[in-house]
Amino acid sequence: MSSEDGQTDGDAQGAPPEQLALIRETVRRTKTPRAKPRTWRGAALAKELPVARVLVDKGVLHLDRYFDYAVPEELDADAQPGVRVRVRFGAGRHRVRDGRREGGGLIDGFLVERRAESDYSGPLAALAQVVSPERVLDEELLGLARAVADRYAGSLADVLQLAVPPRNARAEQRRSPDPLPPPPAPAAGSWERYEQGPAFLESLASGGSPRAVWNALPGPLWCEEIARAVAATLFSGRGALVVLPDGRAVARLDAALTELLGEGRHAVLTADAGPEKRYAQWLAVRRGSVRAVIGTRAAMFAPVRDLGLVAVWDDGDDNHSEQHAPQPHAREVLLLRAAQDRCGFLLGGWSCTVEAAQLVDTGWARPLQAAREGVRASAPLVRTVG
C-alpha cells in the first residue's frame, strides 16, 4: 500500500475497497479441495445389520471373495445392498485402534449384503464412503456375473466391470421416463415365410419361452422379423434383449423397432455411445423404464426386468467375443441368461455355426427355418460355366 493512503503496509484495515474486492474475487475463484473419505474413527456403528459384505474391485483370483466391513451409523441409510462404496483395503492386523482396523489404500467396490454379524473374528474396518445411493447391482445380475466368471474361470470383479458401466453423476441425477404400457400384439408378417415362424411369435405373445435356432432367408427382412419377436415379448408384459455384432446392424434394428413400436420403448446400448448417454440408457433399463434393449456385446449383461426373450444375431461374428478378461462370448452369456431366467432364446443368422447346430442336435433348441421351396425362391440362382 502506498503512503498516499495514510496507512502503513501492515495495516490491513485501511485497505481500499478495490483491494478487498480483489481479495474476495480471488478467494471465490479458488477451488475448494475435495475432502478425503473419513476413516470414521470412533464413530458409532449402525444399530441394525452393522456388517456390510463388500466385493472389492480386485481382479486377482485369490481375492475373488467377499470382505466384511463395519457400517457407521451416518452411512446406515445409504449403505444398502447394490450400491457403490469405497473401502480401505490392505491394512494388516497390527493396524488396529479402539477395536477397529485402520489404514490401507482406498479402493472401489460393491456392497453385496448387510448382515447382523461377521464370520471373521478379528476387528473390522469401517466403510469409508458410499459413492452413490443408486442401487446398480441386484441379486439377478450378481448371479449372472458369478455364473459367467465360473464358466470362463475368471474373477467376479472382472465380469462386473463389463456388466456395470462406469458411473456418471449427471446421468444418475436425471429422472428416467415412466414406463409405457405393453404394445399390441404384432402380426406375423414376414415370419410366415418360415414353417414354425407364426407359432414362435404366438408362443412369445402368450408368455411362453420357446428356444429356436433360426436360419434366416437372404434379404433385408431379418431386422423386421427380430423387431416383431421383440414386440410379441413386450405384449406379454416381459422384457427382451437382442445382441448384434456391430453398429450397422444395431442401427438397422433400431430403425425397425422405432417404425414398429414408436419412440421410447427400447434402449440402445453400445460401447460407441458416450459415457453419459450409455449410463443414462442403462439406468433407464435398471429402473424398469424400458423393457427392450438392443446393442452390441456391451448389452449382453443389460439388467432387463422380467426377461422373456434373449436373442443374438450372427453368432459366428468375432465381434461377439469380448476382448477383456475373462473374454466371454455374447452367445454363451445369453445361453446362461436363458437357463437362469427360463426365458425364450433365439439364435439367428444366414448360416448355422457349429455351436448353433449342437444346440439343435442335443434338443435344447428347435430349428426355425423355411421350406426348401422358400429357400430356392429367396436365394440367388447360381449357374456354373461350362
Side-chain angles (χ1 to χ4, degrees):
M1 224 177 277
S2 64
S3 58
E4 297 177 359
D5 296 326
Q7 302 290 339
T8 61
D9 292 343
D11 190 1
Q13 295 180 354
E18 295 81 1
Q19 295 286 347
L20 292 177
L22 180 61
I23 293 173
R24 284 195 296 268
E25 186 66 23
T26 303
V27 173
R28 186 180 297 110
R29 291 180 179 178
T30 302
K31 293 184 178 180
T32 304
R34 297 181 60 183
K36 296 181 178 179
R38 298 170 56 185
T39 58
W40 305 101
R41 179 180 299 170
L45 298 182
K47 295 180 175 59
E48 297 182 2
L49 304 178
V51 177
R53 184 150 287 184
V54 176
L55 173 68
V56 297
D57 191 7
K58 285 283 190 180
V60 289
L61 290 178
H62 70 279
L63 296 178
D64 189 19
R65 57 191 179 91
Y66 301 141
F67 294 87
D68 290 347
Y69 285 84
V71 181
E73 188 175 9
E74 296 185 31
L75 298 181
D76 186 19
D78 292 337
Q80 300 300 320
V83 301
R84 306 175 196 256
V85 295
R86 300 199 77 192
V87 296
R88 294 196 176 274
F89 188 81
R93 287 177 174 268
H94 62 283
R95 306 188 68 175
V96 177
R97 179 171 178 174
D98 296 333
R100 300 185 191 180
R101 182 175 295 186
E102 294 184 350
L106 284 171
I107 189 172
D108 296 328
F110 293 97
L111 198 158
V112 175
E113 183 186 3
R114 290 280 297 270
R115 298 168 64 101
E117 56 185 14
S118 174
D119 299 333
Y120 180 67
S121 59
L124 298 179
L127 293 177
Q129 182 186 13
V130 174
V131 178
S132 168
E134 187 77 35
R135 304 174 70 172
V136 296
L137 184 64
D138 57 6
E139 294 183 2
E140 183 178 350
L141 183 57
L142 182 63
L144 173 63
R146 181 74 271 173
V148 172
D150 294 342
R151 169 71 173 79
Y152 286 90
S155 68
L156 181 59
D158 284 341
V159 177
L160 286 179
Q161 282 189 346
L162 303 175
V164 183
R167 177 177 179 261
N168 185 278
R170 288 188 297 181
E172 205 169 74
Q173 295 171 0
R174 192 182 311 157
R175 182 177 178 273
S176 298
D178 296 330
L180 297 175
S190 57
W191 276 109
E192 294 182 352
R193 303 185 299 168
Y194 305 91
E195 294 180 342
Q196 301 296 328
F200 181 78
L201 284 189
E202 291 176 3
S203 178
L204 290 175
S206 62
S209 301
R211 300 189 297 261
V213 173
W214 169 37
N215 291 336
L217 292 173
L221 295 179
W222 62 269
C223 53
E224 177 187 341
E225 290 157 0
I226 295 180
R228 292 183 182 276
V230 171
T233 309
L234 294 180
F235 171 75
S236 67
R238 299 174 297 169
L241 169 62
V242 183
V243 179
L244 304 107
D246 52 42
R248 290 179 299 177
V250 172
R252 295 184 64 176
L253 183 56
D254 181 24
L257 279 171
T258 303
E259 181 179 358
L260 182 63
L261 300 177
E263 297 283 349
R265 290 193 179 272
H266 69 280
V268 179
L269 297 179
T270 60
D272 296 335
E276 181 177 353
K277 181 180 179 180
R278 179 187 174 190
Y279 190 55
Q281 293 277 351
W282 189 89
L283 282 178
V285 178
R286 174 70 183 86
R287 295 167 179 172
S289 299
V290 181
R291 290 290 186 91
V293 177
I294 65 172
T296 54
R297 65 173 185 264
M300 58 184 171
F301 292 100
V304 182
R305 292 190 181 181
D306 300 327
L307 196 59
L309 173 68
V310 290
V312 56
W313 172 257
D314 194 9
D315 66 306
D317 196 301
D318 293 339
N319 289 327
H320 282 302
S321 182
E322 177 60 53
Q323 302 302 315
H324 297 87
Q327 300 179 344
H329 194 282
R331 178 189 59 244
E332 305 302 321
V333 173
L334 295 187
L335 283 171
L336 288 173
R337 299 195 71 168
Q340 176 178 296
D341 297 335
R342 298 181 180 180
C343 63
F345 178 82
L346 178 63
L347 191 155
W350 288 303
S351 61
C352 184
T353 61
V354 175
E355 293 81 2
Q358 186 180 16
L359 294 176
V360 176
D361 186 61
T362 58
W364 191 86
R366 300 290 300 274
L368 184 58
Q369 54 192 3
R372 192 61 187 168
E373 294 76 12
V375 177
R376 289 195 184 100
S378 301
L381 180 62
V382 179
R383 292 182 177 178
T384 59
V385 177

